[in-house]
């Protein structure tokens, strides 16, 4: 005879505390396993692409490349390429997760569990950050075989790696929720993410820009995350690190609030 006191009793709803930690962790792990399952595409491919960027720029300029920020051009370029790989993959992870779920019609599997908008925001965004940081680590290790990668400030490196990846994870979530089809998502990538990435000082110092373009660069939040991340390696920044820390943090807070509101309201998610 069974000693189970619940035997024969009708099922009752599971009780959760203020935060559904189990559900949040489960959704986060689902996002992580999703990109690890196709690691050749999500991790190996970005490494190859970033190394090609490094080879093209260093070989094209050759010995005529001037020193930038007190270091060789290749050493200046490498951290920017690492950060660009991180943010692009963070964006791709969250945006593809949501738009694919919407197009395939299984977004309901994400909305039905007892998760609040804040819990879904944290879980999905953290999955994007995990992919971005992992890609950045692998790219940096591969790049260190060809370019000196000195660490000047580990705090700056870690802060901008995590917060920069978070920024693009949240932006990818906003784009994925807003987009109704893959063409819409491609428009966000081509007309927002790519231009801001390439015009953020990844491949050059903004000190070389004309006066009127200099102000535009300083208004680009992508500039601050790349500038701060690079400063963690070479010890030189084109802008104020204090302003950069504030801009990156404030941008993440605003994007996080917008994402939470969109998920909590079911904007373009509930029929």
């Amino acid at each position: 005879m069974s000693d189970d006191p619940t035997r024969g009793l009708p099922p009752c709803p599971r009780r959760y505390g203020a935060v559904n930690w189990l559900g949040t962790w489960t959704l986060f792990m689902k996002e992580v396993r999703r990109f690890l399952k196709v690691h050749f595409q999500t991790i190996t491919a970005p490494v190859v692409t970033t190394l090609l960027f490094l080879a093209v720029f260093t070989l094209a300029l050759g010995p005529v490349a001037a020193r930038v920020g007190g270091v060789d051009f290749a050493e200046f370029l490498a951290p920017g390429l690492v950060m660009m790989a991180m943010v692009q993959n963070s964006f791709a992870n969250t945006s593809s997760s949501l738009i694919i779920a919407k197009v395939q019609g299984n977004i309901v599997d994400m909305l039905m569990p007892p998760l609040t908008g804040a819990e879904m925001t944290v879980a999905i965004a953290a999955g994007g950050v995990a992919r971005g940081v992992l890609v950045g680590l692998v790219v940096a290790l591969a790049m260190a075989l060809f370019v000196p990668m000195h660490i000047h400030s580990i705090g700056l490196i870690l802060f901008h790696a995590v917060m920069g990846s978070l920024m693009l994870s949240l932006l990818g979530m906003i784009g994925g929720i807003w987009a109704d089809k893959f063409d819409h998502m491609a428009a966000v990538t081509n007309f927002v993410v790519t231009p801001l990435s390439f015009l953020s000082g990844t491949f050059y110092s903004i000190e070389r820009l004309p006066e009127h373009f200099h102000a535009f660069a300083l208004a680009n939040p992508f500039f601050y995350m790349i500038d701060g991340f690079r400063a963690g390696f070479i010890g030189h920044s084109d802008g104020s690190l204090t302003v950069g820390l504030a801009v990156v943090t404030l941008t993440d807070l605003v994007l996080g609030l917008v994402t939470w509101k969109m998920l909590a309201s079911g904007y373009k998610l509930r029929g």
Side-chain angles (χ1 to χ4, degrees):
M1 190 170 180
S2 174
D3 295 330
D4 186 359
T6 63
R7 182 179 177 85
L9 296 177
C12 59
R14 184 169 184 172
R15 304 296 180 184
Y16 297 96
V19 179
N20 184 353
W21 296 108
L22 177 61
T24 304
W25 174 256
T26 302
L27 181 55
F28 164 71
M29 289 306 300
K30 173 256 185 186
E31 292 296 302
V32 172
R33 291 192 179 105
R34 192 179 69 88
F35 75 77
L36 287 179
K37 191 172 183 179
V38 287
H39 59 86
F40 194 80
Q41 172 189 343
T42 57
I43 298 175
T44 306
V47 175
V48 175
T49 301
T50 307
L51 290 177
L52 286 175
F53 269 115
L54 178 68
V56 167
F57 276 89
T58 53
L59 291 175
L61 294 174
V64 301
R67 290 174 65 84
V68 183
V71 297
D72 292 337
F73 176 71
E75 192 173 346
F76 171 88
L77 177 64
L81 291 176
V82 173
M83 175 57 83
M84 189 174 72
M86 282 194 290
V87 298
Q88 287 182 342
N89 281 272
S90 297
F91 177 86
N93 199 74
T94 54
S95 60
S96 63
S97 177
L98 288 169
I99 189 63
I100 290 173
K102 289 174 65 177
V103 171
Q104 292 181 343
N106 56 23
I107 189 70
V108 66
D109 295 335
M110 189 181 301
L111 300 177
M112 285 182 63
L115 292 169
T116 65
E119 290 163 352
M120 285 191 287
T121 300
V122 170
I124 299 173
V129 172
R131 175 174 167 182
V133 172
L134 180 58
V135 167
L137 178 61
V138 177
V139 168
L141 291 175
M143 202 166 284
L145 299 175
F146 308 98
V147 180
M149 300 284 286
H150 305 295
I151 296 179
H152 179 77
S153 171
I154 189 65
L156 285 175
I157 293 172
L158 292 177
F159 175 86
H160 289 90
V162 173
M163 297 297 278
S165 297
L166 178 60
M167 185 188 300
L168 269 294
S169 289
L170 293 169
L171 188 59
M173 291 181 69
I174 293 172
I177 295 171
W178 167 81
D180 293 322
K181 51 186 179 179
F182 290 108
D183 288 351
H184 293 165
M185 203 64 252
V188 176
T189 302
N190 294 331
F191 298 113
V192 178
V193 177
T194 300
L196 290 178
S197 298
F198 277 78
L199 298 177
S200 59
T202 301
F203 307 103
Y204 54 85
S205 171
I206 67 166
E207 295 176 353
R208 299 185 177 186
L209 292 175
E211 188 70 26
H212 48 288
F213 284 109
H214 194 272
F216 173 78
L218 293 177
N220 180 3
F222 284 36
F223 159 73
Y224 292 102
M225 65 184 181
I226 290 177
D227 190 50
F229 185 75
R230 178 182 286 127
F233 286 97
I234 69 174
H236 170 82
S237 63
D238 289 339
S240 168
L241 290 177
T242 303
V243 172
L245 293 172
V247 169
V248 171
T249 302
L250 181 60
T251 303
D252 282 356
L253 288 174
V254 171
L255 292 175
L257 180 62
V258 172
T259 307
W260 166 62
K261 284 289 187 181
M262 294 175 79
L263 285 172
S265 65
Y267 173 76
K268 285 197 172 185
L269 295 176
R270 297 171 184 166

